[in-house]
């Protein structure tokens, strides 16, 4: 009942920039938070950046100062501006939406299919 779609992944040079977008839709009662995760080959999926219902943000130490999460959970849309990209940033980036479908339902996580970010010279 909830669809999450990411876009914006591409192949870029080291030091380049990229902007990812995520939109959630469907029978959503409320969204508590939305976030970006990434998973590189051979590694665990990790939290990159998140934004709460009230606009509070958090970032992984490795991306602080380079990445910026923005958007509005009330509009079911977030973005991730990535600057100064490094080869270590290469991964599949996933958008996560923590939402409730009704007042009676618990919060659940909904995931997009992911978008590939490749950083290579």
């Amino acid at each position: 009942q909830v669809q999450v779609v990411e876009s914006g992944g591409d192949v870029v040079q080291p030091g380049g920039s990229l902007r990812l977008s995520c939109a959630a839709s469907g029978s959503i009662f409320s969204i508590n938070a939305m976030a970006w995760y990434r998973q590189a080959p051979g590694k665990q999926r990790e939290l990159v950046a998140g934004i709460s219902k009230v606009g509070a943000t958090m970032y992984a130490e490795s991306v602080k100062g380079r990445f910026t999460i923005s958007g509005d959970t009330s509009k079911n849309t977030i973005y991730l501006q990535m600057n100064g990209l490094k080869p270590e940033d290469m991964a599949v980036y996933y958008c996560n939406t923590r939402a409730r479908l009704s007042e009676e339902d618990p919060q659940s996580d909904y995931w997009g299919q992911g978008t590939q970010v490749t950083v290579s010279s």
Side-chain angles (χ1 to χ4, degrees):
Q1 293 184 293
V2 177
Q3 298 80 48
V4 181
V5 180
E6 309 100 333
S7 64
D10 207 346
V11 178
V12 298
Q13 300 281 341
S17 297
L18 208 57
R19 184 177 176 83
L20 306 183
S21 300
C22 172
S25 62
S27 302
I28 301 172
F29 174 72
S30 65
I31 293 177
N32 184 64
M34 295 180 73
W36 289 98
Y37 287 74
R38 68 186 181 188
Q39 187 166 24
K43 295 185 178 180
Q44 295 267 32
R45 183 174 297 187
E46 64 174 346
L47 175 66
V48 176
I51 184 167
S52 74
K53 178 181 179 180
V54 298
T57 59
M58 62 173 67
Y59 297 90
E61 185 67 28
S62 62
V63 307
K64 286 182 179 178
R66 298 188 298 121
F67 291 9
T68 302
I69 187 170
S70 63
D72 189 343
T73 58
S74 68
K75 296 180 180 179
N76 304 355
T77 303
I78 59 168
Y79 305 92
L80 184 67
Q81 179 65 46
M82 304 183 291
N83 298 324
L85 284 162
K86 305 174 180 179
E88 63 198 73
D89 295 318
M90 183 166 62
V92 176
Y93 284 70
Y94 298 91
C95 180
N96 171 268
T97 298
R98 180 159 291 180
R100 298 168 68 183
L101 301 187
S102 73
E103 182 69 25
E104 295 74 35
D105 293 329
Q107 292 184 115
S108 296
D109 288 336
Y110 300 90
W111 298 87
Q113 294 298 308
T115 185
Q116 177 71 51
V117 172
T118 299
V119 185
S120 176
S121 60

